């Protein structure tokens, strides 16, 4: 039998990376894209990978603590006049839209889908660690894929 913390960590990583196809589909289906940070990738590639990983760890933790740990419960409370599942869905959608917009670049719907996946994982697991690990694993996967693609060109 595996320790529960290991199972949760591995599940979080799998969900974070496994969310890539769904988020890619969201990008393809939507033209709603923000472009205010076009050189972000270049900025990240100029830094040593350990600095980028450190930044990703702190930003994933901070964003999830704020959006899933603080704002999601408040948003669900705002919809508490509804049955629990629609209240959670609308609260999650509202928080995920704000989450997407604060990033300021890329596909809005890809980030909304990601935010809703993180919200669902938080609700099901009951711990903020699962969405933090999902968010971190997604960011790291995208970063290292892009870094490998750039090195190959």
């Amino acid at each position: 039998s595996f320790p529960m913390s290991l199972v949760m960590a591995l599940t979080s990583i799998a969900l974070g990376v496994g969310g890539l196809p769904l988020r890619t589909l969201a990008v393809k289906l939507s033209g709603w894209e923000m472009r205010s940070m076009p050189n972000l990738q270049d900025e990240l590639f100029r830094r040593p990978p350990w600095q980028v990983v450190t930044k990703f760890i702190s930003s994933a933790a901070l964003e999830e603590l704020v959006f899933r740990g603080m704002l999601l419960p408040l948003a669900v409370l705002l919809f508490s006049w509804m049955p629990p599942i629609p209240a959670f869905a609308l609260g999650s959608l509202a928080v995920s839209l704000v989450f997407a917009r604060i990033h300021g670049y890329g596909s809005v719907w890809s980030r909304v889908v990601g935010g809703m996946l993180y919200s669902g994982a938080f609700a099901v697991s009951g711990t903020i660690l699962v969405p933090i690990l999902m968010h971190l694993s997604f960011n790291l996967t995208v970063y290292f894929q892009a870094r490998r693609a750039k090195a190959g060109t």
Side-chain angles (χ1 to χ4, degrees):
S1 171
F2 292 106
M4 185 52 106
S5 58
L6 177 62
V7 170
M8 288 181 79
L10 293 174
T11 302
S12 301
I13 292 167
L15 288 171
V17 174
L20 279 169
L22 185 57
R23 293 178 77 171
T24 301
L25 178 63
V27 170
K28 302 264 187 245
L29 294 177
S30 169
W32 187 12
E33 209 166 310
M34 302 172 286
R35 299 185 192 275
S36 65
M37 295 178 70
N39 296 324
L40 178 66
Q41 215 175 45
D42 291 336
E43 177 190 324
L44 291 175
F45 290 153
R46 282 194 295 270
R47 295 181 184 183
W50 70 266
Q51 283 183 351
V52 175
V53 170
T54 302
K55 178 181 173 27
F56 284 168
I57 291 168
S58 60
S59 63
L62 179 64
E63 288 177 15
E64 293 312 315
L65 286 167
V66 170
F67 286 96
R68 260 49 72 183
M70 294 168 43
L71 296 180
L72 179 61
L74 291 174
V76 172
L77 189 62
L78 286 174
F79 294 105
S80 63
W81 53 272
M82 302 175 85
I85 292 175
F88 177 80
L90 287 174
S92 176
L93 177 62
V95 168
S96 296
L97 281 166
V98 174
F99 171 76
R101 294 295 296 162
I102 63 118
H103 281 82
Y105 62 92
S107 167
V108 173
W109 291 115
S110 174
R111 286 182 173 69
V112 169
V113 168
M116 293 187 77
L117 286 170
Y118 304 151
S119 295
F122 177 52
V124 170
S125 70
T127 176
I128 197 69
L129 292 176
V130 171
I132 289 171
L133 288 172
M134 286 175 66
H135 192 153
L136 176 61
S137 62
F138 175 80
N139 288 350
L140 290 173
T141 301
V142 171
Y143 169 71
F144 284 112
Q145 280 181 340
R147 193 169 182 89
R148 186 171 5 128
K150 184 174 178 155
T153 57

